[in-house]
Amino acid sequence: ILNVEQSPQSLHVQEGDSTNFTCSFPSSNFYALHWYRWETAKSPEALFVMTLNGDEKKKGRISATLNTKEGYSYLYIKGSQPEDSATYLCAFMDGGFKTIFGAGTRLFVKA
Amino acid sequence: DAGVIQSPRHEVTEMGQEVTLRCKPISGHNSLFWYRQTMMRGLELLIYFNNNVPIDDSGMPEDRFSAKMPNASFSTLKIQPSEPRDSAVYFCASSLWGYGYTFGSGTRLTVV
């Protein structure tokens, strides 16, 4: 059974704070780890696709790291803004392209 | 490209009726996925196709659910008969060799 866990479940921060969340996934049969940003009433939007152990990706104030050997990825947001408020999903994809999503971390950024 | 297109956007139906959800993936993508989103379970993978072939349907809740992909540009998810517990948002997503998904806008299904 594939299990993808994200923590924390939700996070409340002040504008300007930096924050990070964790995604844990199986360390076997790894193909890719995806991060998505999901705003209420919209569809999930791809942030990063990470495939190699040690990968680091960056997009503006958001960055992510990957450790496939121990099965975790971190997503960092530097200087959070109210518009960063969303649910951040990670998804583990195995060698057969089966993709399992975590439950997400819901971020609330207060102005 | 118009992205992944799902129809209808909203569907309200009575218990026992057949419901068909439709998806048009991005042209050139070779993988298509159907997900269901509920408050209780989050985003659940129902079934996925590679090159129009169903690979894993272990997430399909029960025999009332079926999915087809007759060609590379169209897929359907059918529920027959529908039940109130099937009420959810159903997302279709496509990708090219798993390199990131593009999601459709979803179909909000309400079974009364």
Side-chain angles (χ1 to χ4, degrees), chain A residues 10-103:
Chain A
S10 66
L11 195 54
H12 293 252
V13 302
Q14 290 289 129
E15 182 176 357
D17 288 349
S18 293
T19 186
N20 65 85
F21 340 122
T22 304
C23 173
S24 301
F25 52 86
S27 53
S28 60
N29 198 20
F30 176 87
Y31 182 80
L33 192 284
H34 302 183
W35 280 101
Y36 291 84
R37 182 171 180 276
W38 195 1
E39 289 182 73
T40 305
K42 294 186 178 179
S43 309
E45 176 192 345
L47 286 173
F48 305 116
V49 177
M50 308 176 81
T51 56
L52 298 174
N53 185 43
D55 242 357
E56 291 188 26
K57 299 270 187 179
K58 189 173 180 183
K59 191 174 185 178
R61 294 180 291 98
I62 304 177
S63 60
T65 61
L66 178 69
N67 183 323
T68 59
K69 292 183 179 178
E70 295 182 39
Y72 65 84
S73 175
Y74 294 135
L75 187 79
Y76 302 91
I77 302 179
K78 186 177 177 182
S80 303
Q81 300 296 308
E83 58 265 30
D84 296 329
S85 298
T87 297
Y88 291 83
L89 296 171
C90 72
F92 167 83
M93 177 176 271
D94 70 14
F97 297 152
K98 182 167 185 171
T99 305
I100 305 298
F101 280 81

Side-chain angles (χ1 to χ4, degrees), chain B residues 72-98:
Chain B
S73 59
F74 185 64
S75 177
T76 58
L77 178 69
K78 188 176 290 187
I79 308 172
Q80 165 65 15
S82 58
E83 296 182 4
R85 61 191 166 123
D86 301 330
S87 298
V89 180
Y90 291 80
F91 285 101
C92 172
S94 70
S95 77
L96 181 62
W97 293 118

Side-chain angles (χ1 to χ4, degrees), chain B residues 61-78:
Chain B
E62 46 199 271
D63 291 346
R64 298 183 297 105
F65 285 68
S66 62
K68 292 183 180 178
M69 191 164 186
N71 56 61
S73 59
F74 185 64
S75 177
T76 58
L77 178 69
K78 188 176 290 187

